[in-house]
Amino acid sequence: MTDVIVSILDKDEKVVWSKGFKEFPDPLKTLKTKGVFGRFVKIRMQKEGSLRIAEVIVK
């Protein structure tokens, strides 16, 4: 996967944090977002293709 954007949205579905990746990070990668609180996680591809995600853990 290439050109992926990971975003955190609040209860009103407004983006409160976002980071783009040219290459999808290692599956065991931890994305730290100090002080960011949200309700939803959105993972979106910028190009055509399939997006398969087995698990997302939010702490």
Side-chain angles (χ1 to χ4, degrees):
M1 281 189 289
T2 59
D3 291 326
V4 175
I5 296 175
V6 177
S7 303
I8 297 175
L9 294 79
D10 66 11
K11 63 182 177 105
D12 298 320
E13 298 185 23
K14 293 181 183 175
V15 175
V16 294
W17 181 90
S18 186
K19 184 170 182 177
F21 297 91
K22 288 293 178 187
E23 293 185 18
F24 198 75
D26 181 316
L28 300 177
K29 172 97 173 156
T30 299
L31 300 176
K32 295 183 180 182
T33 59
K34 280 188 173 180
V36 176
F37 294 93
R39 185 167 206 163
F40 306 101
V41 174
K42 182 177 186 178
I43 302 170
R44 182 179 57 177
M45 289 179 55
Q46 292 293 93
K47 295 183 177 179
E48 288 187 36
S50 297
L51 180 62
R52 292 184 219 158
I53 299 173
E55 184 175 22
V56 174
I57 299 172
V58 179
K59 294 182 181 183

